[in-house]
Amino acid sequence: MSDTQKTATLTIGDQSYDLPVYSPTAGPDVIDIRKLYGTAGVFTYDPGFTSTAACESTITFIDGEEGVLLHRGYPISELAGKSHYLEVCYLLLYGELPTTAQLEDFETRVTRHTMVHEQMHNFFRGFRRDAHPMATLVGVVGAMSAFYHDSTDVNDPWQREVAAIRLIAKLPTIAAMAYKYSIGQPFVYPRNDLDYAANFLHMCFAVPAEEYHVDPILARAMDRIFTLHADHEQNASTSTVRLASSSGANPFACIAAGIACLWGPAHGGANQACLEMLKEIGTPDRIPEFIARAKDKNDPFRLMGFGHRVYKNFDPRATVMKQSADEVLELLGVENNPILATAKALEEAALADPYFAEKKLFPNVDFYSGIILEAMGFPTSMFTPIFALSRTVGWISQWKEQFSDPAHKIGRPRQLYKGETERSYVDIENR
Ligand code: CMC
């Protein structure tokens, strides 16, 4: 924890308490309230952690007002334009951009771990064919702890490293297997002569009956989707991974917890929900009806792919993703895709509406990623698994970081109790 000169003073009744204030390298100052309960006997209240920093981190920085996203200091637009996913993985995991030799070594290590234990094929076959691939992913990733015993000891730095590589390497294989299983096609083994993104497309779309050629433009777009989703600071799923890990749980169990959290439509499930919403809207003339519903306080409907807890100006990932969407749609000759036309019209209508401007609701990354994935031929149910496999490196980097933080301890939030105070049990005949 950084040294502090500043303090904040909290006054409760006639008592004052000085609290240390830390200045980060970027972002707002942070008040240390760790000793508050011990000295003042009060808790703080912050549902949704809107003002609470739960850890110290050096991985990712976001300035939501300015639309800034930095990984280890590097802007996401530069990484998406000049780098590629595995290099970004290295950066997130180890803190610096790799040299040529370091990158080669890292890519080899990841590539050598892309296959899954053959017994896992049987494990997959236990699922119903119509299971959502996210359900399969949560189960299979959790089950990795039953297959890879030699990398579950979190107190051994080498085992932590092996687990990190295994997760980054095997998630595309597992996600592709979940897809193949759901459509009744045979599993396609990884091909280590292909790069990370091309290999994933191959495992998803190749069949044994014929040659499958991965288009390099689509592989690049896939890689960009992975890169743009690689990490996002202390979001809900990352915080879930950190909280699960704080008890000493093994890395596979922690990542399975992160995947479960990501699934929700307010988080990673938004890309699927967004595309389903665009299909439901169908044509641009129905947009006013849906905008009116999104604004209606009595209607739970929200515009999926709009708004963000942190970004209150624009989502810098969305800017890059929008360019990618244009490229992919042009390549695939679907510029006149009705979903894209609806998406564009919806974007314009929402941006011009004072409700969305006042509440600072802009299209987020999921607004465009779903359009690209649909054009590539992925069913909507695969959108969130693709987010999960991309985010695995972020989760595992944050998970690894916890072990070097001296302030790290089991997570145990407090509560504002509003229930009954102590009362005596009443026998059933007297109730
Ligand atoms: N459509 C209509 N109104 C909205 C929307 C929306 N998409 N998002 C927020 N609002 C309104 C909300 O009703 C509230 O209004 P009021 O102040 O009158 O009560 C106000 O804006 C603030 O909303 P909030 O729920 O307090 O904001 P939050 O920071 O808790 O929620 C969010 C952020 C992303 C969960 C939310 O904007 C949302 O549900 N968006 C749609 C789902 C989505 O696209 N999620 C993907 C996020 S990006 C990918 C990721 O990081 O996982």
Side-chain angles (χ1 to χ4, degrees), residues 4-328:
T4 180
Q5 302 294 327
K6 289 191 225 168
T7 53
T9 305
L10 174 72
T11 306
I12 305 172
D14 54 4
Q15 286 281 346
S16 287
Y17 304 92
D18 283 339
L19 303 166
V21 176
Y22 305 124
S23 294
T25 47
D29 284 355
V30 171
I31 303 171
D32 182 348
I33 56 161
R34 279 178 293 174
K35 297 203 172 117
L36 189 61
Y37 176 59
T39 53
V42 294
F43 298 147
T44 55
Y45 181 59
D46 185 16
F49 303 107
T50 52
S51 301
T52 297
C55 63
E56 190 174 301
S57 182
T58 61
I59 301 173
T60 293
F61 172 73
I62 302 175
D63 181 336
E65 297 301 325
E66 299 297 323
V68 170
L69 168 60
L70 309 176
H71 291 320
R72 305 284 191 186
Y74 297 101
I76 190 64
S77 56
E78 285 189 31
L79 293 174
K82 297 181 185 171
S83 183
H84 58 92
Y85 183 67
L86 278 187
E87 188 178 60
V88 172
C89 289
Y90 185 98
L91 176 68
L92 290 169
L93 275 171
Y94 305 114
E96 294 295 339
L97 288 169
T99 61
T100 307
Q102 285 168 332
L103 184 60
E104 250 177 56
D105 171 63
F106 180 67
E107 288 184 340
T108 307
R109 282 191 290 140
V110 171
T111 306
R112 292 282 150 77
H113 280 284
T114 49
M115 280 171 62
V116 295
H117 194 293
E118 197 64 14
Q119 186 73 15
M120 276 189 138
H121 291 221
N122 300 335
F123 189 77
F124 266 94
R125 294 197 166 92
F127 288 98
R128 275 172 59 142
R129 288 273 175 194
D130 59 356
H132 192 289
M134 280 300 276
T136 313
L137 212 59
V138 174
V140 176
V141 172
M144 283 176 80
S145 38
F147 286 90
Y148 301 104
H149 299 142
D150 57 349
S151 50
T152 50
D153 179 358
V154 297
N155 297 314
D156 177 346
W158 176 244
Q159 294 202 27
R160 295 205 296 264
E161 176 66 21
V162 175
I165 299 291
R166 278 188 169 141
L167 280 157
I168 294 166
K170 293 186 201 307
L171 252 291
T173 314
I174 294 170
M177 288 170 81
Y179 172 53
K180 285 299 199 190
Y181 186 74
S182 73
I183 55 170
Q185 288 187 4
F187 298 136
V188 175
Y189 285 97
R191 272 202 22 205
N192 291 349
D193 59 321
L194 297 175
D195 67 34
Y196 193 87
N199 175 46
F200 177 64
L201 291 173
H202 188 264
M203 288 189 293
C204 287
F205 297 122
V207 286
E210 56 189 60
E211 274 296 302
Y212 173 77
H213 170 71
V214 183
D215 189 300
I217 296 182
L218 295 188
R220 176 79 192 122
M222 191 76 254
D223 190 89
R224 205 171 268 172
I225 288 179
F226 292 162
T227 303
L228 291 174
H229 287 91
D231 190 46
H232 214 230
E233 211 228 55
Q234 309 311 321
N235 55 81
S237 56
T238 302
S239 299
T240 300
V241 170
R242 280 186 178 262
L243 193 57
S245 155
S246 75
S247 71
N250 78 66
F252 307 112
C254 296
I255 300 302
I259 295 171
C261 177
L262 186 79
W263 195 355
H267 194 7
N271 50 16
Q272 171 171 354
C274 177
L275 210 94
E276 282 164 357
M277 175 193 75
L278 291 172
K279 284 182 177 166
E280 195 191 340
I281 297 175
T283 46
D285 58 298
R286 294 193 62 208
I287 286 172
E289 178 195 326
F290 282 81
I291 295 233
R293 283 188 60 196
K295 287 157 61 174
D296 182 354
K297 281 254 157 272
N298 300 317
D299 189 330
F301 173 77
R302 284 185 169 199
L303 281 191
M304 287 292 129
F306 276 79
H308 200 274
R309 167 62 62 79
V310 181
Y311 295 121
K312 299 299 176 197
N313 185 339
F314 66 95
D315 179 343
R317 304 167 301 171
T319 315
V320 183
M321 201 66 95
K322 189 177 175 172
Q323 286 165 8
S324 238
D326 289 341
E327 277 169 34
V328 169

